[in-house]
Amino acid sequence: MTKSAKSFRENLRKSGVFFTPKKLAEYMRSFFPSDVAEIYDPTCGDGGLLAVFEGARKYGQEIDEEQGNYAATNLVEAQIEIGDTLADDKFKDRKFRYIVANPPFSVEWDPKTDDRFEGFELAPKSKADYAFILHCIHHLDDDGIAVVMCFPGVCYRGQREGKIREQIIRKNLLDRVVEIPGGDFDDTSISTVLLIFRKNRQTNSVVFEKKETGETREVNLDEIEKNGFNLSVCQYIEPKSDKAKIDPVAEQIKGRDSALKWLRASIRVDATVCELERFRQPEFDHVDFLNRLQKIIAEEKAAFLKKWKERIDPTRVQMELFGL
Ligand SMILES: C[S@@+](CC[C@H](N)C(=O)[O-])C[C@H]1O[C@@H](n2cnc3c(N)ncnc32)[C@H](O)[C@@H]1O
C-alpha cells in the first residue's frame, strides 16, 4: 500500500465512519459480564470494538481487507477473517456466547435465504440492517448475549423490516433497547440505538432505556404488540414532565449541525474511495457525486421558494379569505 493510500485509510478510520469510538465501545462492553472468554464481531473493521474485551479470545470478519489485516495485526489472541459476512459467512458452524456488532447502517445487500434467516422474512435489498441482526441472533448461543448498534430506523421502519421486528419479538429474543442521542460520544453525530438480544428468556417483557437520562421502563410484549411492534424508546418512555420544555428551534439547530457534520464525513469518504479506486475504475467519479448533491439542493431550494412565494401571494391570501 502506498503511503498516501495508507494515510487515507488512517483518515477514514479517524473520520468515525468505519470505527466505533472507544468510549462507545466501552459503553457497549458494559452490557456483558466482566469475564468474557470469547467474543465475536461479524463486521469488525479495524478491531476497535473487539479491543475493549481485554483478555478475551477475539473472532471477527471484515469485508475490507486492509481494515481486517489491521485488526489481525493489532489485536492479540484474535482470528480475523476477510470477506462479506452476509454472502460468505466464515464462521458458519460456530455459535458464540458473546457477540458485539456495529454493522454498517442501511447498506444494500444481495438477499439470499439460508439457515440464518430461516423463520424470518428476508431483509429488503436496500437495507441490510436486519440481515446483520439476524446473522448475530443465529450465531448466538442459547445462554448468550448479543449487543448490536443500529440505526434508529430499525425500531420503526415498516414493511419487511416491520415483519422481521414482529417475528423477533414473538420469538422473545429481544431483551433491551437503549436510545443513544446524537453527539453523546465523540464522532457520533447521529443518534443510534443498541439492541440487546438473548435466547431462552424467562420474562415476557423488554426493557427500554434512555441513555441520556438513565430512565428505564420494563414493557410487556402485549403493549409492544399494541404499538404495532414499534420499538422506538420515546414510544414507551415519556419525556420527564419536570424537564425544561423542548425548544424546537434549538433542537433543529443541533440537528442541522449533526446533518452537516455527517454530510461532510460522507463526502470525504466518497472522495477517499474515488481516490483509492481511480486506477481500477476511473469512471467512479467524486465530482459526479458532488454534482448530484448540488442538484438535490437546487431542487429542494426551488421547491421551498415556490411554496413560500405561493403562501405570500396576496391574491391567493384574498381568495383563501373569501373561501374562493
Ligand atoms: C461502523 S464500522 C464498525 C467497525 C468495528 N466494529 C469497530 O468497532 O471499529 C462497520 C464495518 O463493517 C464493515 N462491513 C460492511 N459491510 C460488511 C459485510 N457485508 N461483511 C463484513 N463487514 C462489513 C465495514 O467495512 C466497516 O468496517
Side-chain angles (χ1 to χ4, degrees):
M1 189 173 29
T2 64
K3 195 162 176 257
S4 65
K6 194 167 178 196
S7 59
F8 267 134
R9 286 281 164 198
E10 286 296 328
N11 284 340
L12 217 60
R13 222 170 256 131
K14 284 184 195 143
S15 78
V17 177
F18 279 146
F19 90 128
T20 313
K22 180 129 194 267
K23 280 202 176 132
L24 178 52
E26 277 163 356
Y27 179 65
M28 290 172 80
R29 169 73 181 89
S30 72
F31 291 93
F32 295 88
S34 54
D35 59 343
V36 167
E38 287 189 344
I39 182 83
Y40 166 57
D41 180 346
T43 55
C44 70
D46 65 5
L49 256 181
L50 288 173
V52 296
F53 290 81
E54 275 174 32
R57 170 126 192 100
K58 301 162 188 79
Y59 297 86
Q61 183 164 344
E62 168 57 44
I63 200 166
D64 181 291
E65 196 176 343
E66 281 158 35
Q67 293 216 62
N69 288 339
Y70 186 95
T73 37
N74 285 284
L75 293 170
V76 280
E77 271 202 279
Q79 179 186 343
I80 306 297
E81 301 287 344
I82 309 294
D84 183 334
T85 301
L86 298 178
D88 179 20
D89 181 3
K90 304 282 188 192
F91 293 94
K92 216 178 228 144
D93 304 318
R94 286 244 15 203
K95 295 275 178 199
F96 295 95
R97 191 162 182 201
Y98 300 116
I99 301 178
V100 70
N102 176 7
F105 293 167
S106 309
V107 292
E108 281 203 5
W109 75 302
D110 186 13
K112 278 197 192 100
T113 193
D114 61 39
D115 331 346
R116 293 171 295 178
F117 312 119
E118 235 165 60
F120 297 94
E121 199 80 10
L122 262 187
K125 185 176 167 48
S126 57
K127 293 179 191 78
D129 309 55
Y130 271 104
F132 285 111
I133 289 172
L134 293 178
H135 172 95
C136 291
I137 293 175
H138 172 79
H139 279 284
L140 192 61
D141 251 339
D142 284 349
D143 58 351
I145 307 172
V147 177
V148 188
M149 183 164 174
C150 302
F151 183 69
V154 303
C155 294
Y156 56 78
R157 287 194 303 231
Q159 297 174 343
R160 285 215 220 150
E161 293 187 291
K163 192 73 203 158
I164 301 172
R165 209 163 47 239
E166 175 179 343
Q167 288 159 334
I168 289 174
I169 310 268
R170 287 202 191 279
K171 289 176 200 273
N172 204 4
L173 295 166
L174 182 66
D175 195 60
R176 199 177 191 93
V177 182
V178 184
E179 178 193 85
I180 301 178
D184 206 42
F185 293 96
D186 289 348
D187 297 320
T188 53
S189 50
I190 54 167
S191 53
T192 49
V193 69
L194 292 186
L195 297 184
I196 300 176
F197 301 97
R198 279 174 196 269
K199 291 181 173 167
N200 296 324
R201 291 177 351 110
Q202 302 304 310
T203 59
N204 272 324
S205 56
V206 174
V207 174
F208 287 84
E209 178 175 349
K210 278 192 171 186
K211 180 180 176 296
E212 192 175 23
T213 58
E215 291 161 274
T216 57
R217 193 182 148 218
E218 196 168 342
V219 179
N220 203 280
L221 298 188
D222 296 341
E223 185 177 338
I224 298 176
E225 181 171 1
K226 270 190 208 125
N227 281 322
F229 298 96
N230 185 324
L231 296 177
S232 302
V233 173
C234 60
Q235 183 92 35
Y236 303 98
I237 302 179
E238 298 271 323
K240 273 188 180 157
S241 52
D242 58 346
K243 263 180 88 182
K245 260 191 139 188
I246 291 171
D247 173 355
V249 174
E251 288 299 309
Q252 191 53 24
I253 289 172
K254 263 202 274 171
R256 278 182 179 181
D257 287 346
S258 301
L260 291 174
K261 210 170 150 188
W262 179 84
L263 184 63
R264 192 182 287 278
S266 304
I267 291 173
R268 285 188 181 162
V269 168
D270 189 83
T272 306
V273 176
C274 290
E275 180 72 30
L276 288 168
E277 296 294 318
R278 70 186 187 282
F279 299 113
R280 279 196 317 142
Q281 298 188 55
E283 73 286 357
F284 184 49
D285 180 15
H286 180 57
V287 175
D288 174 54
F289 176 53
L290 294 178
N291 287 341
R292 282 159 65 191
L293 279 176
Q294 237 163 3
K295 186 166 172 271
I296 293 175
I297 292 168
E299 284 167 3
E300 290 302 316
K301 194 171 167 184
F304 174 79
L305 290 176
K306 183 169 172 271
K307 231 194 241 169
W308 184 252
K309 250 194 200 155
E310 273 172 8
R311 230 177 270 144
I312 57 171
D313 176 351
T315 340
R316 195 188 152 99
V317 172
Q318 272 178 0
M319 283 168 80
E320 272 176 15
L321 268 178
F322 294 107
L324 299 170

